[in-house]
């Protein structure tokens, strides 16, 4: 394999080293960023008269053609150590000596730092936009389910009544924060490292700001050793994605439960379900399980990145080549997960009647029943005890609170009157939870509106 370094060495490298050293099989995905960065660099070199105008123009033209050929599949990315070497070799093959001038005032260390930052910036936007799409999907479906009562759970035990829309808005708000986290990561990493050189910048009169402006970064990096050394933005993206995957995983876990015959709250569309090779009756939520499972991969990738860097003295060390596969895996995993989750969510069938049926059992209006007495002046702790005794009695009788006749209720507490049945009706229980953030239809509609407003603002930026 042809090397960029010649002169110092009298022997070819061993083949086993070549295999270990090679990153082209995975950093080939940075070809667009690498070439775009090189075009900006070449234009700057010519502008500063570090190379001639003619050489500058030949390099730019050559690079544009290489980019087009790779895009068209005419040029296959192989036969070099990494993407930077590949592009430079190909350029020199095509335009001769001018190609050899491209690397003036640059090192692969600041080159890879630039490529990776450009790539991460773009991918943050892609992931962000997918999360926004999922929020839109949650808002859309929630609109139809502001009155769909279901049990809210704690400890996976039926606790208090909520609505389906309220549950989905909980996830919507988690995803909103995921978007903000991604925005923050992007704002913090928006710095242009080219010009850092190998580690100690360069003696050439380069114009870093010019490169920065061409590539659309917010500013140039402030320190050349930092510019080539840190991969904190990769870790930050991985960390944002780990949290995002944790949210998706919880959402999926919930759907897995809801798909079971024990719940039967939802049914996935056939296009997003799988069967069993032996059990003909099965319809499995594999998509949800895969997303739940893949969250672990992303956590692992985050750990890979953190461990890769923690012991490295300044500046560039080859360990850092290990950043890419972990980072790419994070990005691919998150994007694929969202690309399947969104249509799966939009097409799934809701069995409202089963949710409502579940809400009728499990005494989820017991708190409301205690509140009824409390509002009549009974201290809450006494009311709590009284309803506890009533629940125990109902369990024995096999009935719900709403089925207990008034005379019986009055034996438990004399302050019960006929209006108690209205007070413990599930629709009333929902309607009365109308504080901001609560599950009452109007409160949830406000949550939906707030998220839609968030989405509108995100689209505008
Ligand atoms: N393939 C390398 C990487 O991904 C590019 C930088 C190589 N620099 C060096 N001095 N060997 O990190």
């Amino acid at each position: 394999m042809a090397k960029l370094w010649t002169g110092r060495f009298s022997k070819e490298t061993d083949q086993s080293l070549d295999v270990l050293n090679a990153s082209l099989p995975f950093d080939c995905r940075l070809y667009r960023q690498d070439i775009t960065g090189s075009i900006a660099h070449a234009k700057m070199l010519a502008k500063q008269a570090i190379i001639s105008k003619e050489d500058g123009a030949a390099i730019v033209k050559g690079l544009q053609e290489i980019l087009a050929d790779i895009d068209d599949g005419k040029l296959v990315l192989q036969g070099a150590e990494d993407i930077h070497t590949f592009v430079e070799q190909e350029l020199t093959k095509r335009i001769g000596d001018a190609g050899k001038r491209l690397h003036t005032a640059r090192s692969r260390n600041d080159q890879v730092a630039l490529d990776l930052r450009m790539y991460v910036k773009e991918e943050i936007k892609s992931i962000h936009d997918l999360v926004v799409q999922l929020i839109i999907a949650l808002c859309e479906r929630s609109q139809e389910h502001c009155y769909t009562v279901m049990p809210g759970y704690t400890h996976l035990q039926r606790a208090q009544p909520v609505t389906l829309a309220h549950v989905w808005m909980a996830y919507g708000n988690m995803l909103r924060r995921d978007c903000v986290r991604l925005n923050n990561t992007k704002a913090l990493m928006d710095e242009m490292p080219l010009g850092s050189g190998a580690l100690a910048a360069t003696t050439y009169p380069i114009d870093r700001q010019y490169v920065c402006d061409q590539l659309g970064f917010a500013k140039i990096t402030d320190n050349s050793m930092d510019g080539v050394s840190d991969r904190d933005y990769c870790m930050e993206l991985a960390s944002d994605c780990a949290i995002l995957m944790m949210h998706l995983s919880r959402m999926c876990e919930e759907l897995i439960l809801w798909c079971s015959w024990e719940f039967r709250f939802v049914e996935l569309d056939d296009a997003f379900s799988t069967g069993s090779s032996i059990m003909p009756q099965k319809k499995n939520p594999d998509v949800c399980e895969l997303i739940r499972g893949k969250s672990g991969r992303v956590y692992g990738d985050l750990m890979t990145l953190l461990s890769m860097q923690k012991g490295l003295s300044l500046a560039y060390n080859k360990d850092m080549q290990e950043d890419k596969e972990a980072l790419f895996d994070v990005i691919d995993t998150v994007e694929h997960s969202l690309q399947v989750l969104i249509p799966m969510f939009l097409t799934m069938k809701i069995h409202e009647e089963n949710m409502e049926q579940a809400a009728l059992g499990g005494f989820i209006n017991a708190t409301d029943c205690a509140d009824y007495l409390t509002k009549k002046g009974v201290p809450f702790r006494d009311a709590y005890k009284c309803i506890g005794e009533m629940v125990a009695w109902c369990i024995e009788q096999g009935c719900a609170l709403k089925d207990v006749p008034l005379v019986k209720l009055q034996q438990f507490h004399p302050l019960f009157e006929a209006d108690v049945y209205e007070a413990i009706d599930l629709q009333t229980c929902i309607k009365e939870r109308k504080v901001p953030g609560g599950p009452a239809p109007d409160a949830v509609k406000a949550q939906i509106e707030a998220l839609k407003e968030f989405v509108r603002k995100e689209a505008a930026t």
Side-chain angles (χ1 to χ4, degrees), residues 210-284:
Y210 177 77
V211 176
C212 180
D213 295 342
Q214 282 189 84
L215 297 176
F217 280 92
K219 68 184 280 291
I220 58 174
T221 50
D222 288 333
N223 177 290
S224 67
M225 295 182 87
D226 174 45
V228 290
S229 288
D230 208 358
R231 297 289 183 265
D232 55 354
Y233 56 95
C234 299
M235 294 161 211
E236 215 173 336
L237 174 58
S239 151
D240 295 348
C241 287
I243 297 172
L244 167 61
M245 284 302 287
M246 178 274 293
H247 289 149
L248 300 187
S249 181
R250 285 188 83 174
M251 198 172 149
C252 285
E253 164 66 13
E254 199 111 55
L255 293 177
I256 291 164
L257 283 171
W258 290 5
C259 283
S260 71
W261 279 82
E262 281 68 19
F263 280 79
R264 283 214 87 213
F265 285 1
V266 297
E267 190 177 334
L268 300 180
D269 191 82
D270 281 0
F272 294 97
S273 307
T274 47
S276 153
S277 61
I278 173 169
M279 296 169 280
Q281 84 284 10
K282 289 294 282 289
K283 182 168 174 184
N284 295 330

Side-chain angles (χ1 to χ4, degrees), residues 98-110:
K100 295 190 204 158
R101 298 189 202 278
L102 169 61
H103 212 52
T104 313
R106 185 176 76 169
S107 156
R108 276 188 298 164
N109 296 353
D110 57 350

Side-chain angles (χ1 to χ4, degrees), residues 328-360:
F328 297 164
D329 189 62
V330 166
I331 292 166
D332 293 346
T333 304
V334 170
E335 291 185 358
H336 288 160
S337 298
L338 285 163
Q339 278 157 1
V340 185
L341 182 57
I342 295 165
M344 187 197 75
F345 176 78
L346 283 171
T347 53
M348 120 192 132
K349 204 153 68 211
I350 311 297
H351 293 304
E352 310 173 23
E353 61 300 347
N354 291 342
M355 293 185 171
E356 277 163 17
Q357 204 50 46
L360 289 173

Side-chain angles (χ1 to χ4, degrees), residues 82-99:
D82 57 22
I83 187 61
H84 327 296
T85 315
F86 176 88
V87 172
E88 191 181 321
Q89 277 170 3
E90 183 63 28
L91 182 69
T92 305
K93 221 193 287 171
R94 293 185 182 203
I95 67 166
D97 270 1

